Structure formats: C-alpha cells, structure tokens
Amino acid sequence: MSIIEVSNLKKSYEKLDVLKGITFNVNKNDVVAVVGPSGSGKSTMLRSLVHLEEISGGSIRVSGEDLVKDGVYSKPQEIKRITSKMGMVFQHFNLFPHLTVKENLELAPRMARKEENSVIQRRSTELLEKIGLTDKATAYPANLSGGQKQRVAIARALMMGPEILLFDEPTSALDPELTGEVLQVMKKLAEDQMTMIVVTHEMGFAKEVANRAIFMDNGEIIETGHPDELFTNPKFERTRSFLIRSLK
C-alpha cells in the first residue's frame, strides 16, 4: 500500500525549473534512497513533501490524503495535520543550543500539549537509550560531536511518533569517522520497519539498507529500482556515469 504518492511534481524559481514532473510512490515500510549529483533537485523534492517548499504543480498524497492536488494545497489546518505524519532530519542538525539534549527532544511534544509530561519524559528516555546517548541527556549541543548531534536530531524527529521519516543528506556535514554511528541508528530504524526516504551520497548504506533507489538528475527521475540492480546494472548512461564517479 502506498503511503506517499507523488505525481507530476513541478517546482520553478522564475525561469529555472528545479523539478520537472517528478512521479513516484513509497509503500509502507519502504526504505527509499534518493541519489544523484548536487543540484539535481533531491532536497527540493524532499522538502516539498513536508511543505517546506511550495510546489508549482502536481500532487502529493500522504496516507491517502491530499497535501496538494494538481497544484492546489489543502487548507492550512489540513496541511499541518498531514505533514505531522512525517518527521524530517536535516543536514545541519538544527538543535536549539540553549536547551539540553533531553529538552531538545521534549520541546515539540510539550508545545503540542497532547500528552502528560510523564509520558513525554518516558519516551525521551527510551529514545536516548535507543540512540545510545543516555549519558548525554543533560548535555548541551555545544558539548556533543557532530555524530551525536545528528543522532539527537533523529531522536527528536521520532518524539512526535511519525509514520514516515525523511532524511536530507544526514551524514554530509559529518567527518567520515562519525558517519558510521549515524548510519547504524538508521539501519536499526529500517530493521524496525520505519518508512524512510533518504537523500544520501552514502552508496554503501543505500545498497545495504534501502529496498528501492531513485536516481535524480537535472530535476528529473532518470531511473528507479532495487539498489542491487540500479547500482550494478543501470539502464541509462546518465546513471552509469554518475555511479562511476561516486563509487570510485
């Protein structure tokens, strides 16, 4: 069953076409890796799913509900409700520097005011254990490594109980030795059958963890398929030349 349906998605900045009719579906429990050169529209596509980018045309459905249909958005309260089904993990963490790790995790649920404090505190404790940072609960972001900050950002996204997690180059701001700890958390999420769309340049991770890969270039989806097939036997020259450069 498709949990995300994207049809003919278009995005333009004046005369520059950034997305040129993107169409794809994501099924529940899929891990979809989106790869491609810089400037190919990957991040714009991902951000449009949570309404951080306003599209110029096309449709996005999440769990059978229209976020935007034929370029016309739902009402603001519907947009908020639909996008709340998704959590987003950014390249640069975006943690609040004046809050502790635990406070960063608990801020959004507290603002939503839908749960008891004891429930929120219990969940933040469980998630810190899940990402291996129980001992950093009272630390501030300035005292964390980049890998630790990104693991906190993942836990923060999970605090709201999303059905889908979106990752925008989650390891590209990290030193290589810190990348593995973040990818390990993401692998655990995949094992727990979390639905994920991951914009990434980590080809090894995509091949090992994703069950689908999408190759984008110049605002278009050029090719999609199982990572084993797409990475070893691409159908198109544009995919092939990108992989030759990326897998060196």
Side-chain angles (χ1 to χ4, degrees), residues 155-177:
R156 181 181 58 183
L158 290 167
M159 279 294 292
M160 298 299 284
E163 297 175 27
I164 305 148
L165 270 186
L166 310 178
F167 294 84
D168 189 8
E169 296 278 13
T171 60
S172 63
L174 302 179
D175 294 331
E177 64 269 22

CSV table of all heavy atoms in Angstrom, one decimal, residues 155-177:
chain,number,residue,atom,x,y,z
A,155,ALA,N,16.4,11.3,17.0
A,155,ALA,CA,15.5,11.0,18.2
A,155,ALA,C,14.4,12.1,18.3
A,155,ALA,O,13.3,11.8,18.6
A,155,ALA,CB,16.3,10.9,19.5
A,156,ARG,N,14.8,13.3,18.1
A,156,ARG,CA,13.9,14.4,18.2
A,156,ARG,C,12.7,14.3,17.2
A,156,ARG,O,11.6,14.5,17.5
A,156,ARG,CB,14.6,15.8,18.0
A,156,ARG,CG,13.6,17.0,18.1
A,156,ARG,CD,14.3,18.3,17.8
A,156,ARG,NE,15.0,18.3,16.5
A,156,ARG,CZ,15.7,19.3,16.1
A,156,ARG,NH1,15.9,20.4,16.8
A,156,ARG,NH2,16.3,19.3,14.9
A,157,ALA,N,13.1,13.9,15.9
A,157,ALA,CA,12.1,13.6,14.9
A,157,ALA,C,11.2,12.5,15.3
A,157,ALA,O,10.0,12.5,15.0
A,157,ALA,CB,12.8,13.3,13.6
A,158,LEU,N,11.7,11.5,16.0
A,158,LEU,CA,10.9,10.3,16.4
A,158,LEU,C,10.0,10.6,17.6
A,158,LEU,O,9.0,9.9,17.8
A,158,LEU,CB,11.8,9.2,16.8
A,158,LEU,CG,12.6,8.5,15.7
A,158,LEU,CD1,13.7,7.6,16.2
A,158,LEU,CD2,11.6,7.7,14.8
A,159,MET,N,10.2,11.7,18.3
A,159,MET,CA,9.4,12.0,19.5
A,159,MET,C,8.0,12.3,19.2
A,159,MET,O,7.1,12.0,20.0
A,159,MET,CB,10.0,13.3,20.2
A,159,MET,CG,11.2,13.0,21.1
A,159,MET,SD,10.9,12.0,22.5
A,159,MET,CE,9.8,13.1,23.5
A,160,MET,N,7.7,12.7,18.0
A,160,MET,CA,6.3,13.0,17.6
A,160,MET,C,5.6,11.8,17.0
A,160,MET,O,4.4,11.9,16.5
A,160,MET,CB,6.3,14.2,16.7
A,160,MET,CG,6.8,15.5,17.2
A,160,MET,SD,5.9,16.1,18.7
A,160,MET,CE,4.4,16.8,17.9
A,161,GLY,N,6.2,10.7,17.0
A,161,GLY,CA,5.6,9.4,16.5
A,161,GLY,C,5.2,9.5,15.0
A,161,GLY,O,4.1,9.1,14.7
A,162,PRO,N,6.2,9.9,14.2
A,162,PRO,CA,5.8,10.0,12.7
A,162,PRO,C,5.6,8.6,12.1
A,162,PRO,O,6.2,7.6,12.6
A,162,PRO,CB,7.0,10.7,12.1
A,162,PRO,CG,8.2,10.3,13.0
A,162,PRO,CD,7.6,10.2,14.4
A,163,GLU,N,4.8,8.5,11.0
A,163,GLU,CA,4.7,7.3,10.2
A,163,GLU,C,5.9,7.2,9.3
A,163,GLU,O,6.2,6.1,8.8
A,163,GLU,CB,3.4,7.3,9.5
A,163,GLU,CG,2.1,7.4,10.3
A,163,GLU,CD,0.9,7.5,9.5
A,163,GLU,OE1,0.9,7.1,8.3
A,163,GLU,OE2,-0.1,8.1,10.0
A,164,ILE,N,6.5,8.3,8.9
A,164,ILE,CA,7.5,8.4,7.9
A,164,ILE,C,8.6,9.3,8.3
A,164,ILE,O,8.3,10.3,8.9
A,164,ILE,CB,6.9,9.0,6.5
A,164,ILE,CG1,5.7,8.2,6.1
A,164,ILE,CG2,7.9,9.0,5.4
A,164,ILE,CD1,4.6,9.0,5.4
A,165,LEU,N,9.9,8.9,8.1
A,165,LEU,CA,11.0,9.8,8.4
A,165,LEU,C,11.7,10.2,7.1
A,165,LEU,O,11.9,9.3,6.2
A,165,LEU,CB,12.0,9.1,9.3
A,165,LEU,CG,11.9,9.2,10.8
A,165,LEU,CD1,13.1,8.6,11.5
A,165,LEU,CD2,11.7,10.7,11.2
A,166,LEU,N,12.0,11.4,6.9
A,166,LEU,CA,12.7,12.0,5.8
A,166,LEU,C,14.1,12.4,6.2
A,166,LEU,O,14.2,13.1,7.2
A,166,LEU,CB,11.9,13.2,5.2
A,166,LEU,CG,10.4,13.0,4.9
A,166,LEU,CD1,9.8,14.2,4.3
A,166,LEU,CD2,10.2,11.8,3.9
A,167,PHE,N,15.1,12.0,5.5
A,167,PHE,CA,16.5,12.4,5.8
A,167,PHE,C,17.1,13.2,4.6
A,167,PHE,O,17.1,12.6,3.5
A,167,PHE,CB,17.3,11.1,6.1
A,167,PHE,CG,16.9,10.4,7.3
A,167,PHE,CD1,15.9,9.4,7.2
A,167,PHE,CD2,17.6,10.5,8.5
A,167,PHE,CE1,15.6,8.7,8.3
A,167,PHE,CE2,17.3,9.8,9.6
A,167,PHE,CZ,16.3,8.9,9.5
A,168,ASP,N,17.6,14.4,4.9
A,168,ASP,CA,18.2,15.2,3.8
A,168,ASP,C,19.7,15.2,4.1
A,168,ASP,O,20.2,16.0,4.9
A,168,ASP,CB,17.6,16.6,3.8
A,168,ASP,CG,18.1,17.4,2.6
A,168,ASP,OD1,18.7,16.8,1.7
A,168,ASP,OD2,17.8,18.6,2.6
A,169,GLU,N,20.4,14.3,3.4
A,169,GLU,CA,21.9,14.2,3.5
A,169,GLU,C,22.3,14.2,4.9
A,169,GLU,O,23.1,15.0,5.4
A,169,GLU,CB,22.5,15.4,2.7
A,169,GLU,CG,22.3,15.4,1.2
A,169,GLU,CD,23.2,14.5,0.5
A,169,GLU,OE1,23.9,13.6,1.1
A,169,GLU,OE2,23.3,14.6,-0.8
A,170,PRO,N,21.8,13.2,5.7
A,170,PRO,CA,22.1,13.3,7.2
A,170,PRO,C,23.5,13.1,7.6
A,170,PRO,O,23.9,13.4,8.7
A,170,PRO,CB,21.2,12.1,7.7
A,170,PRO,CG,21.2,11.1,6.5
A,170,PRO,CD,21.1,12.0,5.3
A,171,THR,N,24.4,12.7,6.7
A,171,THR,CA,25.8,12.5,7.1
A,171,THR,C,26.8,13.4,6.4
A,171,THR,O,28.0,13.3,6.6
A,171,THR,CB,26.3,11.0,6.9
A,171,THR,OG1,26.1,10.7,5.5
A,171,THR,CG2,25.4,10.0,7.7
A,172,SER,N,26.3,14.2,5.5
A,172,SER,CA,27.2,15.0,4.6
A,172,SER,C,28.0,16.1,5.4
A,172,SER,O,29.0,16.5,4.9
A,172,SER,CB,26.4,15.6,3.5
A,172,SER,OG,25.5,16.6,3.9
A,173,ALA,N,27.5,16.5,6.6
A,173,ALA,CA,28.2,17.5,7.4
A,173,ALA,C,29.1,16.9,8.4
A,173,ALA,O,29.7,17.6,9.2
A,173,ALA,CB,27.2,18.4,8.1
A,174,LEU,N,29.2,15.5,8.4
A,174,LEU,CA,30.0,14.8,9.4
A,174,LEU,C,31.4,14.4,8.9
A,174,LEU,O,31.5,14.1,7.7
A,174,LEU,CB,29.2,13.6,9.8
A,174,LEU,CG,27.8,13.8,10.4
A,174,LEU,CD1,27.2,12.4,10.8
A,174,LEU,CD2,27.9,14.7,11.6
A,175,ASP,N,32.3,14.3,9.8
A,175,ASP,CA,33.6,13.7,9.4
A,175,ASP,C,33.4,12.2,9.2
A,175,ASP,O,32.5,11.6,9.8
A,175,ASP,CB,34.6,13.9,10.6
A,175,ASP,CG,35.0,15.3,10.8
A,175,ASP,OD1,34.9,16.1,9.9
A,175,ASP,OD2,35.3,15.7,12.0
A,176,PRO,N,34.2,11.6,8.3
A,176,PRO,CA,33.9,10.2,7.9
A,176,PRO,C,33.9,9.3,9.1
A,176,PRO,O,33.1,8.4,9.1
A,176,PRO,CB,35.1,9.9,7.0
A,176,PRO,CG,35.5,11.2,6.4
A,176,PRO,CD,35.2,12.2,7.5
A,177,GLU,N,34.7,9.5,10.2
A,177,GLU,CA,34.7,8.6,11.3
A,177,GLU,C,33.4,8.7,12.1
A,177,GLU,O,33.2,7.8,13.0
A,177,GLU,CB,35.9,8.8,12.2
A,177,GLU,CG,36.0,10.2,12.9
A,177,GLU,CD,36.8,11.2,12.0
A,177,GLU,OE1,36.9,11.0,10.8
A,177,GLU,OE2,37.3,12.2,12.6
